[in-house]
Amino acid sequence: MPAAPDRALLDEIAQRVLWLSTRIVDAANRERDTGEGVKVGGHQASSASLVTTMTALYFAHLDAPDRVSVKPHASPVFHAIQYLLGNLDRSYLTRLREYGGLQSYPSRTKDPDPVDFSTGSVGLGPAAPLFAAAARRYVDAHFGPRPASRFVAMLGDAELDEGNIWEAVADDATAALGNVMWIVDFNRQSLDRVIPGIRIDQWRQQFEAAGWHVVEVKYGPLLQKAYAQCPELERWIDLMPNERYQSLFGLEPAEVRARFVDEAPAAVTDHLAGLPDDEVARLVTDLGGHDMGAMLDAFAQCDAETSRPSVVFAYTVKGWGLPIAGNPRNHSALLTAEQVEQLRAATGLTLDDEWDRLDPTTAAGQWAAVRAEALEKPARTPRPALVVPTSTDFRSGKPISTQEAFGRILVGLSRDEAVGKHLVTAAPDVATSTNLAGFINRAGVFSPADRPRWAEDPMIRWHEGPTGQHIELGISEMNLFLLLGQLGLTWDLSDQLLLPVGTLYDPFVLRGLDAFIYSVYSGARFVVAGTPSGVTLAPEGGAHQSTITPSVGMELPNVTLLEPAYGVALDWLLCSAVGDIAAAAAPGGAKADAVGQVEDGSYYFRLTTRPLDQTPFEDARTRIGDATLRRQVLSGAYRLVDSPRRTDDGPVVQIAASGATVPEALLAAAELEEEGVRAHVVDVTSLDRVYAAWQRTLRQGIRTATTPSIPGAVRQAFAMGVPVVTVHDASSHTMAWLGSAVGAPCVSLGVDAFGQSGRVSDLYRAHDLDAGSVVNAALAALALR
C-alpha cells in the first residue's frame, strides 16, 4: 500500500462513511419501535457535512497519539469510522440512542468505542482539547516529553456564538499551543435557520487577535479553476447573500442555473452559457470543505504552524451528498425509506451487505486496515501506586477558618516528596484571596518559559517558569473547570497522573457550572474549593453570598460535596480525596455502577473565612478516639456533642449543622441543656455522603422488596426517631431530608432569600441561624412529635 492514498480512494471511503452514518440514524428511527411515542432523533444532515473532514482526518492525517473532539451532531460519522477501523462491534450500528448502545453524542464514559473528549453541550467540546493541550504542555515540562500529539476539535459554526469559546481562546494559559487545530464546519446553518449573514470576517479577526493561525477552505477545485478563467464569477459568489446561495442545493440543475445567473454580471452568464445544466450545478456548489485535497492541504498548513493554535474554516453544506442538502429545515430531518433505498443503490450496496465493513480484498479495505494499525494507541505505562498520607498532622491552637486551614494543609501535602510533584493548582485570578499563596510561594507559577519579575511582593513570591505548579487563569470560572477537567484526565490523555486542585469564590461555582458538569461527566477527577461561602461572607453582600451551591454539590453526579467545620476534619477529608484521585488513576482503579455513576469522582469543598474555636473538635477526639472519629468524619457525620443520659425521661433533640454554623448549634445545645432538654450536636462533614448512604439502603430495599436497613453513616451519628433541627448557611431544603432519614420531625433553618451586607451576627439573625433561633426551632421540632 502507498504511504498515503489518492483522493479517489479517500472519496470511495467517504461514500461508505456517508452511507453508514446516514443508515445508523435511519435504523434507529424507522426500524426501532420504542412504544413510547417519542422520536429517537439523530442528525443525518449535520453528520453529512463533516464526512469529508473526518474521512480525511482518520484515513489520512491523524497519528496514534493525536486526540480528537468530534462535533456532537456528527457522532454517527465517528461511530461509522470506528466501525470501519475495527474498533466497534457491528451490533452497535443499530443501537444509536438505545440504552446501553451508542450515545446521542460522543461520550468518554458511556460509548463502547474509544472517545477522547465527550461532547454535547456546545462550545465545551472544542475548548476541551485546547485545555488538554495546555495540560500536556504542563506534563511535558514537569515529567518529560510525551509522544507528540495534535489536539484536534471539530465544531459547528453556530458554536462560535457560545461565550465560553472566546473565554478559552483569549486566556493566556492556552496561548502559543502549536499542536491545537480547530476545524469549523462552516455550513452557515443553525438549528432553526440558514444564517442570513456570514460573520467570517469578525471571527477571523477575533482568532487572529488572540494569536491564532487562520485557514479558510472555501472553494473546491472546480470553482478555483473557473475563477482563473472568469474572475467575475468569484466576486459574484462572494457577494451573494447566504440564504440565496444555500437555496441552490435543493434545486434541480436547470433551476440552479436560473437562480444563480439572475441579475448576474454578463461575464458570469456568458461563462456558464456553454456548460450543461448539471455541470453548472456541480460547479457553483463546489465547496472546499468537501474536497479531500483541499482539506489535507489545510491540515498540512496547520502542522507547519508550530508556535500558535490553528483554526480551519471549512466551507460545507449541511446534508452534503443527501437529497436534503441545503434545506433550511434539514437539521433534524430524516430521509424517507425511498431516499434511503436510492442512497444504498448509489453506494453499490444491497440489503445483504449494507452493514458490511470495507471489503478487505479491495484497496479501500486494505487501506482501512493500514490506518487501523497506525491509529492503535499504545498501552499506558505501568507505574507504582502513589501513596498519599492520611493526614498532614494539622494543628491549630487558635481559632482558624477552613479557608486558612485549606491553604496550610495543601502546603503540608506538597512537602511529601512523592505527592508534592504531582500537585497542580489553578485559580481564576483569586489564588491569593483563596489562600493558595503558601503553595505558590513553595511551588511557583507555571509558564512555558521563565518570565522576569519587575516587582517584589513580601507576601507572595510570584516566580513564573517551567517548574511552577500553579496555573493562573483570567477571570473565567468556565476556564477553571475546563482546565481542572483536563488536568484530571492526564492519566489517560497524557499518560501521567496529576493531582489537580482548583479554588474560586464559592458563589461563582454557578458561573462555571456548565464546564463543571462537562468535566465530571467526562470522568475527570479533581479537587475544587469554593471559598468563602454563604452569608457568613457577610460584609460582601448578596452578590457574593452563595446559598444554592451545596445543592449543586449534592445533586451533581460523580461529585462529592464536603463542608467540614474544623481544621483536622478538613485535613483528613482533603488527604482522603487526593488519595482517592491517585488510586483511581491506576489501571482498574475507577469503579462505576450500572448506570455509570462513579464512586466519589471529584471533590467539592465548601469553605469559609469565619475562624472557629477548635476546642469542641479536640474534645470529641478525646471522647471518640482518632481512628473512629476519622472514619466517621470521612463517612459524612459524627456526634460532636453527645448529651449524656439522665435518670429522668426528659425530651431529647438533635441539632445537625454543617460548616460555619456549628458554633450556633453548640450554643443552642448548651442553652437547651440548661432548660432541661437533652441536645445532641451532629457535625455533618459531608451531606452528600450521608444522603448517598441513606439512598443506597432505600434503593436496595426497593429493588429487593425488603425492609430498608439504617445505613451506618446515619446510625453512628443520629438517634433514630428523635426530632432534628438542621442549621446550614445555605438553602434550608439542602438538609431537610434528614428528618426522613432519622424518622422524626425536622425543622430546617437556612438561607432562603438573598442576603445583604452586614456583620455575620446581623445576617445570622436575619435568616434565623443565630443560637436563639436554633433553640426555638428545637422546641418546635419537639412540639411536632
Side-chain angles (χ1 to χ4, degrees), residues 530-666:
T531 180
S533 64
V535 298
T536 303
L537 188 61
E540 289 290 327
H544 279 189
Q545 294 167 355
S546 53
T547 59
I548 66 172
T549 51
S551 298
V552 170
M554 286 186 64
E555 294 163 14
L556 189 52
N558 300 359
V559 172
T560 298
L561 171 71
L562 304 157
E563 192 170 357
Y566 297 107
V568 173
L570 174 58
D571 185 23
W572 292 343
L573 288 163
L574 183 56
C575 289
S576 174
V578 172
D580 286 346
I581 291 172
K591 299 294 190 298
D593 63 18
V595 293
Q597 171 72 27
V598 176
E599 181 68 24
D600 287 336
S602 291
Y603 300 85
Y604 167 25
F605 286 83
R606 190 171 185 259
L607 310 176
T608 80
T609 53
R610 185 188 188 192
L612 300 188
D613 179 13
Q614 305 294 296
T615 304
F617 185 85
E618 293 302 321
D619 291 343
R621 291 180 79 177
T622 301
R623 185 182 84 250
I624 300 172
D626 270 20
T628 300
L629 180 58
R630 181 178 180 277
R631 184 174 66 252
Q632 293 178 356
V633 164
L634 295 183
S635 69
Y638 68 96
R639 196 169 291 187
L640 180 62
V641 172
D642 189 6
S643 179
R645 288 185 175 275
R646 300 174 184 163
T647 54
D648 61 327
D649 191 20
V652 183
V653 70
Q654 45 197 343
I655 305 169
S658 205
T661 58
V662 168
E664 279 62 40
L666 291 171

Side-chain angles (χ1 to χ4, degrees), residues 13-147:
I13 295 172
Q15 192 62 32
R16 182 63 69 89
V17 172
L18 175 65
W19 161 254
L20 283 172
S21 61
T22 305
R23 184 71 174 97
I24 285 170
V25 179
D26 174 66
N29 285 273
R30 287 199 306 111
E31 299 176 6
R32 182 186 308 153
D33 182 12
T34 64
E36 296 173 336
V38 178
K39 75 169 187 174
V40 175
H43 302 88
Q44 291 174 331
S46 294
S47 291
S49 63
L50 270 180
V51 163
T52 306
T53 293
M54 294 179 67
T55 301
L57 282 172
Y58 284 93
F59 287 93
H61 181 71
L62 296 174
D63 296 322
D66 296 338
R67 301 292 185 169
V68 182
S69 173
V70 176
K71 186 182 80 169
H73 293 159
S75 63
V77 181
F78 173 78
H79 296 307
I81 288 174
Q82 294 305 314
Y83 170 65
L84 293 178
L85 293 172
N87 297 327
L88 182 68
D89 188 78
R90 174 173 171 169
S91 63
Y92 282 102
L93 298 183
T94 55
R95 299 184 62 201
L96 177 69
R97 302 190 173 201
E98 181 183 273
Y99 184 77
L102 301 177
Q103 298 302 297
S104 304
Y105 312 116
S107 172
R108 280 182 49 86
T109 57
K110 297 179 184 296
D111 268 318
D113 40 4
V115 174
D116 294 324
F117 301 97
S118 298
T119 56
S121 185
V122 293
L124 298 176
L130 187 59
F131 285 100
R136 171 66 64 83
R137 179 163 61 186
Y138 180 93
V139 167
D140 288 348
H142 286 80
F143 300 95
R146 297 306 189 253

Side-chain angles (χ1 to χ4, degrees), residues 201-258:
D201 290 337
Q202 174 195 342
W203 288 333
R204 183 196 304 111
Q205 291 170 17
Q206 287 178 230
F207 276 111
E208 289 175 343
W212 284 53
H213 167 231
V214 180
V215 178
E216 284 187 57
V217 186
K218 190 170 185 179
Y219 305 117
L222 297 177
L223 274 176
Q224 291 185 44
K225 182 178 179 180
Y227 292 160
Q229 301 166 352
C230 179
E232 291 84 355
L233 178 62
E234 181 174 6
R235 287 193 288 272
W236 177 239
I237 290 181
D238 283 346
L239 289 172
M240 186 175 292
N242 187 40
E243 289 174 298
R244 176 175 175 177
Y245 181 77
Q246 292 290 90
S247 72
L248 299 175
F249 288 88
L251 302 177
E252 293 298 321
E255 296 174 302
V256 171
R257 179 195 294 273

Side-chain angles (χ1 to χ4, degrees), residues 219-522:
Y219 305 117
L222 297 177
L223 274 176
Q224 291 185 44
K225 182 178 179 180
Y227 292 160
Q229 301 166 352
C230 179
E232 291 84 355
L233 178 62
E234 181 174 6
R235 287 193 288 272
W236 177 239
I237 290 181
D238 283 346
L239 289 172
M240 186 175 292
N242 187 40
E243 289 174 298
R244 176 175 175 177
Y245 181 77
Q246 292 290 90
S247 72
L248 299 175
F249 288 88
L251 302 177
E252 293 298 321
E255 296 174 302
V256 171
R257 179 195 294 273
R259 183 167 297 182
F260 185 80
V261 301
D262 184 27
E263 299 182 348
V268 172
T269 304
D270 294 344
H271 180 77
L272 300 178
L275 299 178
D277 289 343
D278 59 342
E279 287 190 28
V280 171
R282 190 160 54 250
L283 170 66
V284 301
T285 59
D286 181 36
L287 293 173
H290 297 302
D291 181 71
M292 288 290 178
M295 292 306 299
L296 289 172
D297 287 345
F299 300 161
Q301 291 178 50
C302 296
D303 281 350
E305 285 285 344
T306 58
S307 62
R308 53 181 176 160
S310 294
V311 58
V312 177
F313 286 95
Y315 283 69
T316 63
V317 61
K318 206 167 188 174
W320 172 79
L322 302 178
I324 56 176
N327 188 304
R329 300 294 296 165
N330 67 8
H331 180 78
S332 298
L334 296 171
L335 268 61
T336 65
E338 181 181 0
Q339 290 171 329
V340 170
E341 290 174 8
Q342 292 171 351
L343 181 62
R344 182 190 294 112
T347 312
L349 297 170
T350 68
L351 287 171
D352 293 330
D353 61 7
E354 63 173 341
W355 295 109
D356 286 358
R357 290 190 173 96
L358 295 164
D359 186 344
T361 66
T362 64
Q366 291 170 24
W367 184 249
V370 169
R371 291 301 296 164
E373 184 177 350
L375 294 175
E376 185 176 356
K377 288 180 168 49
R380 287 170 51 203
T381 305
R383 291 186 174 91
L386 177 64
V387 179
V388 177
T390 59
S391 169
T392 65
D393 295 325
F394 174 86
R395 292 288 185 274
S396 179
K398 63 176 184 177
I400 189 172
S401 70
T402 47
Q403 178 177 295
E404 182 182 348
F406 180 84
R408 286 175 49 183
I409 295 162
L410 194 60
V411 170
L413 273 173
S414 72
R415 291 195 175 101
D416 184 291
E417 186 175 349
V419 174
K421 63 184 179 182
H422 293 89
L423 287 169
V424 53
T425 62
D429 198 38
V430 294
T432 54
S433 51
T434 55
N435 278 62
L436 288 181
F439 179 82
I440 293 173
N441 284 343
R442 181 176 176 82
V445 177
F446 176 71
S447 172
D450 280 305
R451 293 179 177 176
R453 295 185 67 223
W454 302 108
E456 293 295 328
D457 186 333
M459 298 300 295
I460 182 167
R461 297 184 293 276
W462 197 271
H463 171 72
E464 296 183 71
T467 62
Q469 292 178 245
H470 172 75
I471 300 176
E472 184 72 356
L473 299 164
I475 306 175
S476 170
E477 290 77 17
M478 292 286 279
N479 284 353
L480 172 69
F481 283 109
L482 283 166
L483 176 61
L484 287 175
Q486 296 311 308
L487 292 171
L489 288 171
T490 54
W491 60 270
D492 178 38
L493 300 179
S494 295
D495 195 21
Q496 177 60 56
L497 166 68
L498 292 178
L499 302 172
V501 179
T503 61
L504 76 168
Y505 291 165
D506 192 65
F508 304 140
V509 166
L510 301 176
R511 285 168 57 171
L513 184 55
D514 201 11
F516 194 176
I517 294 170
Y518 171 82
S519 292
V520 295
Y521 172 75
S522 298

